């Protein structure tokens, strides 16, 4: 039992890569003190990833580095990475980085058994010792063996190079060009490397995507899938694996929808914070308007919000919403709202995820709106769309971000739902549908809640109208055939008003009739009261007369 405990407590030594997302996939970074092979075709980002590994090591982890290039001169390399904010000249002046260019000529290579790397070892060893480097990059290794056909010498020198790097205790990256049937030109480096990463740059239906895959990683667990990565002004960032445990934290706080009428349809008065909401419907059913109301409400509550618009520019969105009383511009000005507009075809599906992940890290929003997610279908296949949407929702849940998606449904006769709606509907926490309700010669809008996990909600279809003052949800009007909308509602309300007037008139008439009868009753009562008083008065007189007679009679007898 003790031996098992010791083995489980062992932590494989790793060196952080400094590449956003790559440490998550490698479970901590590259193997410390061991060589890592990065291979791929031209333009896939091998040199950039290697340089970022060195620069981030120097800046973030105080580990000096050596970059030895066999192809690009030092000046060209310095200029190439300067656009990414990497100042190699300053790092070299501070004695934290050594950039060396080694020129290898084929004519100088002899195959008489005299070819070896002793000169390289001396030169590289001096560079490492001069700044006490912890990280080393050799870019690219094919140039070392250009024109060398003796496989025995090649294999021996490769093994000796890797063994020498391990003895120096440096964490090394060796880049290599991809072969036709092997990972590298010689097909030997992948076998002697402790970690092998393949970079790929592919174009599918005119959309370019770069992907990364870890082929092997001795002594460590790692992600085995293909992961998209993005090269931008900040360098390389990789989209990590989707969380599979579903153990993200949840909140019981409720955020307003921005519409009082819609709030009243939820028992809690809105959405749970950190939940995912889908608003689906056909064209022209005010999905974007509902999304903007929600964005405005979140900004009013000082919640940072990012709005991804795939159909409208920020200026157009601001103008359109202003016509119904929704002012997005002031929230753009105070920094609580960001609007990012682009065509979905600008990047591949995964690159949209990478962009979103990068913005989350930089802006730290609490609310994200994507309008509409259905436009992403044009970028990838059905399987890719499903995979991307699952990753997207999972990423938002892990970060406890309240997300609202809109989805455009096509007006078809088929019962089968649209792909985006079908892919997301089972994953989201709340699903709201807006739809057309066509009557006689008119089209009206209705809204209802399909589901809301963990919260009671209305089962009614509420009609709503859009005016210059915004969206207004109307009260439910029931008729003989069900819920009334539009002209039928107005006609019903008119008839109801007439009926109410008739009823009021009838009540008034009855009131007047009752009043007349009351007055007659009161008069009769007064007459009877007077008659009663007269009779009572006559009786009193008779009683007094009788008493007087009795008194006189009694006096006579006494006389």
């Amino acid at each position: 039992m003790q031996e098992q405990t010791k083995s489980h407590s062992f932590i494989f030594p790793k060196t952080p890569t400094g590449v956003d997302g790559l440490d998550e996939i490698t479970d901590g970074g590259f193997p410390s003190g061991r060589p890592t092979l990065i291979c791929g075709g031209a333009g896939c980002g091998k040199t950039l990833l290697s340089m970022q590994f060195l620069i981030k090591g120097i800046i973030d982890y105080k580990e000096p580095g050596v970059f030895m290039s066999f192809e690009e001169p030092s000046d060209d390399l310095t200029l190439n990475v300067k656009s990414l904010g990497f100042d190699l000249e300053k790092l070299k002046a501070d004695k934290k980085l050594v950039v060396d260019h080694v020129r290898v000529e084929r004519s100088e290579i002899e195959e008489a058994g005299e070819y070896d790397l002793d000169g390289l070892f001396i030169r590289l060893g001096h560079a490492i010792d001069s700044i006490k480097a912890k990280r080393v990059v050799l870019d690219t290794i094919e140039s070392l063996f250009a024109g060398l056909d003796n496989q025995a010498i090649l294999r021996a020198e490769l093994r000796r190079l890797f063994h020498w790097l391990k003895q120096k205790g440096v964490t090394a990256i060796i880049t290599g060009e991809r072969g036709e049937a092997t990972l590298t030109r010689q097909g030997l480096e992948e076998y002697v490397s402790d970690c092998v990463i393949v970079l790929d740059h592919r174009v599918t239906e005119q959309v370019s995507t770069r992907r990364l895959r870890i082929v092997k990683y001795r002594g460590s667990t790692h992600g085995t899938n293909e992961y998209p990565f993005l090269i931008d002004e900040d360098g390389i960032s990789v989209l990590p694996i989707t969380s599979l445990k579903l153990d993200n934290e949840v909140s019981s706080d409720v955020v307003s929808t921005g519409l009082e009428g819609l709030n009243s349809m939820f028992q809690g008065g809105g959405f749970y914070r950190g939940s995912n909401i889908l608003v689906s419907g056909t064209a022209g059913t005010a999905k974007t308007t509902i999304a903007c109301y929600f964005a405005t409400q979140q900004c009013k509550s000082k919640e940072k919000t990012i709005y991804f618009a795939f159909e409208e520019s920020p200026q157009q969105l601001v103008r359109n919403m202003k016509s119904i009383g929704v002012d997005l511009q002031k929230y753009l000005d105070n920094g609580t709202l960001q609007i990012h507009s682009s065509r979905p075809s600008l990047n591949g599906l995964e690159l949209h995820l990478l962009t979103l992940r990068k913005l989350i890290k930089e802006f730290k929003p609490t609310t994200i709106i994507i309008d509409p997610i259905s436009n992403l279908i044009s970028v990838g296949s059905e399987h890719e769309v499903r995979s991307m949407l699952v990753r997207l929702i999972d990423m938002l849940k892990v970060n406890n971000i309240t997300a609202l998606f809109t989805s455009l449904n096509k007006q078809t006769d088929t019962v089968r739902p649209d792909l985006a709606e079908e892919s997301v509907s089972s994953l989201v926490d709340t699903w709201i549908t807006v739809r057309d309700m066509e009557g006689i010669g008119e089209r009206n809008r209705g809204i209802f809640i399909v589901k809301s996990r963990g919260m009671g909600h209305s089962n009614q279809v509420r009609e709503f109208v859009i005016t210059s003052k915004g969206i207004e949800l109307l009260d439910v009007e029931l008729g003989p055939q069900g819920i009334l909308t539009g002209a039928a509602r107005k006609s019903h309300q008119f008839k109801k008003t007439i009926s109410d007037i008739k009823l009021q008139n009838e009540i008034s008439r009855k009131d007047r009739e009752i009043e007349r009868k009351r007055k007659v009753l009161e008069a009769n009562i007064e007459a009877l009261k007077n008659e009663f008083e007269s009779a009572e008065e006559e009786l009193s007189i008779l009683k007094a007369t009788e008493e007087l007679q009795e008194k006189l009679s009694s006096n006579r007898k006494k006389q």
Side-chain angles (χ1 to χ4, degrees):
M1 290 294 290
Q2 291 181 352
E3 293 181 357
Q4 289 182 358
T5 304
K6 288 181 181 179
S7 64
H8 283 295
S9 63
F10 172 74
I11 300 176
F12 191 88
K14 295 186 178 182
T15 299
T17 64
V19 178
D20 188 24
L22 185 55
D23 288 344
E24 298 177 41
I25 298 171
T26 56
D27 196 20
F30 295 150
S32 296
R34 297 184 179 189
T36 296
L37 175 66
I38 298 179
C39 53
C44 63
K46 301 186 296 298
T47 302
L48 179 58
L49 192 151
S50 305
M51 183 57 75
Q52 189 168 335
F53 169 75
L54 283 187
I55 302 300
K56 294 294 184 180
I58 295 171
I59 297 174
D60 297 339
Y61 305 103
K62 311 300 180 185
E63 296 183 355
V66 173
F67 191 100
M68 185 165 284
S69 171
F70 303 111
E71 290 186 342
E72 290 184 89
S74 301
D75 294 340
D76 291 349
L77 195 63
T78 300
L79 185 62
N80 292 343
V81 299
K82 198 168 187 178
S83 61
L84 302 175
F86 298 156
D87 190 353
L88 300 189
E89 293 298 333
K90 183 178 183 305
L91 295 176
K92 287 192 288 185
D94 294 339
K95 304 297 183 183
K96 296 178 180 179
L97 175 68
V98 173
V99 179
D100 192 7
H101 173 62
V102 178
R103 184 177 60 87
V104 180
E105 294 290 342
R106 291 189 177 186
S107 60
E108 299 175 1
I109 298 177
E110 299 292 336
E111 294 192 34
E114 300 175 358
Y115 180 82
D116 58 44
L117 300 178
D118 288 342
L120 175 66
F121 294 159
I122 295 172
R123 192 164 176 174
L124 183 58
H126 174 72
I128 293 172
D129 296 336
S130 64
I131 61 171
K132 297 181 180 179
K134 299 294 184 182
R135 303 183 180 208
V136 172
V137 172
L138 302 180
D139 181 46
T140 66
I141 198 170
E142 279 78 20
S143 299
L144 276 178
F145 306 102
L148 186 64
D149 296 327
N150 191 320
Q151 292 295 316
I153 296 176
L154 179 60
R155 183 182 293 269
E157 290 303 303
L158 272 175
R159 289 187 180 276
R160 198 156 71 95
L161 172 61
F162 281 66
H163 181 68
W164 184 87
L165 290 170
K166 286 184 180 181
Q167 284 185 326
K168 294 295 289 185
V170 294
T171 303
I173 287 182
I174 299 170
T175 66
E177 297 177 1
R178 193 158 190 177
E180 295 182 0
T182 56
L183 295 179
T184 55
R185 292 282 181 87
Q186 281 77 30
L188 301 174
E189 297 94 323
E190 56 262 38
Y191 295 102
V192 294
S193 301
D194 291 272
C195 178
V196 178
I197 295 178
V198 175
L199 305 183
D200 181 38
H201 188 193
R202 67 187 66 168
V203 178
T204 305
E205 295 183 359
Q206 302 179 4
V207 177
S208 170
T209 307
R210 289 182 171 90
R211 296 180 183 270
L212 175 150
R213 180 170 65 94
I214 302 174
V215 177
K216 77 172 184 178
Y217 196 142
R218 288 173 180 161
S220 173
T221 58
H222 57 276
T224 56
N225 297 330
E226 279 192 326
Y227 304 95
F229 67 92
L230 177 68
I231 299 178
D232 57 11
E233 65 276 5
D234 296 323
I236 291 179
S237 54
V238 184
L239 185 66
I241 192 169
T242 308
S243 175
L244 299 177
K245 296 182 180 179
L246 295 177
D247 57 354
N248 54 286
E249 296 181 1
V250 296
S251 174
S252 297
D253 297 339
V254 175
V255 295
S256 172
T257 66
L259 295 167
E260 292 184 7
L262 186 56
N263 285 340
S264 65
M265 297 179 70
F266 292 94
Q267 197 173 62
F271 309 131
Y272 281 126
R273 182 183 300 276
S275 62
N276 296 289
I277 304 99
L278 172 65
V279 179
S280 64
T282 53
T285 50
K287 300 181 295 299
T288 299
T289 305
I290 294 173
C292 288
Y293 261 92
F294 181 59
T296 303
Q297 179 61 41
Q298 289 297 89
C299 291
K300 283 182 182 177
S301 305
K302 309 298 182 183
E303 304 277 356
K304 285 189 172 182
T305 303
I306 295 180
Y307 194 113
F308 278 88
F310 289 135
E311 292 181 337
E312 298 177 274
S313 67
Q315 296 81 3
Q316 183 180 358
L317 191 64
V318 170
R319 183 204 65 187
N320 293 347
M321 290 302 108
K322 196 172 184 179
S323 66
I324 58 172
V326 178
D327 187 6
L328 297 177
Q329 187 61 50
K330 66 178 181 180
Y331 301 114
L332 289 171
D333 295 338
N334 64 25
T336 54
L337 175 66
Q338 284 189 4
I339 300 177
H340 294 269
S341 296
S342 64
R343 289 296 181 189
S345 56
L346 178 65
N347 294 313
L349 286 171
E350 306 292 2
L351 293 188
H352 283 294
L353 273 184
L354 280 172
T355 304
L356 179 58
R357 183 174 182 268
K358 183 179 177 182
L359 288 171
I360 290 174
K361 186 176 180 180
E362 294 176 353
F363 189 59
K364 294 181 173 56
T366 57
T367 305
I368 284 180
I369 297 170
I370 301 179
D371 176 35
I373 58 171
S374 49
N375 278 22
L376 297 173
I377 296 174
S378 60
V379 186
S381 64
E382 181 174 340
H383 174 74
E384 290 173 335
V385 170
R386 291 179 191 275
S387 176
M388 180 266 187
L389 293 176
V390 169
R391 287 189 176 194
L392 170 63
I393 291 177
D394 187 72
M395 179 175 66
L396 296 174
K397 281 184 176 292
V398 168
N399 289 279
N400 198 29
I401 294 174
T402 308
L404 186 144
F405 313 115
T406 67
S407 177
L408 174 65
N409 294 349
K410 297 177 181 178
Q411 293 179 333
T412 59
D413 296 330
T414 59
V415 182
R416 186 178 184 275
D418 290 275
L419 176 59
E421 184 180 277
E422 184 181 13
S423 302
V424 178
S425 59
S426 62
L427 300 173
V428 296
D429 303 298
T430 300
W431 183 7
I432 299 171
T433 295
V434 283
R435 68 181 188 186
D436 294 327
M437 298 187 293
E438 295 185 4
I440 302 175
E442 63 180 10
R443 182 174 69 89
N444 304 296
R445 298 181 178 95
I447 184 170
F448 66 95
I449 303 169
V450 180
K451 73 171 184 178
S452 183
R453 289 172 178 160
M455 184 180 293
H457 53 277
S458 171
N459 63 347
Q460 292 180 322
V461 179
R462 295 280 298 273
E463 183 186 3
F464 67 93
V465 294
I466 303 177
T467 65
S468 58
K469 296 181 179 179
I471 291 180
E472 179 186 358
L473 267 72
L474 306 177
D475 294 331
V476 175
E477 289 284 346
L478 296 176
Q481 286 79 32
I483 295 177
L484 302 177
T485 61
R489 170 196 285 273
K490 292 180 180 179
S491 176
H492 180 73
Q493 290 177 341
F494 180 71
K495 291 179 181 178
K496 186 178 179 182
T497 301
I498 294 176
S499 178
D500 290 342
I501 292 174
K502 288 181 178 179
L503 179 61
Q504 191 63 40
N505 291 336
E506 183 66 17
I507 291 174
S508 298
R509 188 183 68 80
K510 288 290 184 183
D511 285 341
R512 292 193 297 271
E513 184 179 347
I514 290 295
E515 182 64 21
R516 288 195 298 270
K517 289 185 177 182
R518 184 181 64 76
K519 289 180 179 179
V520 171
L521 177 61
E522 289 176 352
N524 291 336
I525 291 173
E526 188 65 27
L528 290 173
K529 184 178 180 180
N530 293 335
E531 185 178 348
F532 176 77
E533 288 177 351
S534 298
E536 190 177 37
E537 185 177 356
E538 289 178 1
L539 180 60
S540 298
I541 294 172
L542 289 175
K543 286 184 178 181
T545 303
E546 185 181 6
E547 289 177 357
L548 182 60
Q549 289 178 350
E550 289 180 353
K551 189 174 181 181
L552 292 174
S553 177
S554 175
N555 290 336
R556 288 194 198 104
K557 288 181 180 179
K558 290 180 179 179
Q559 293 177 355

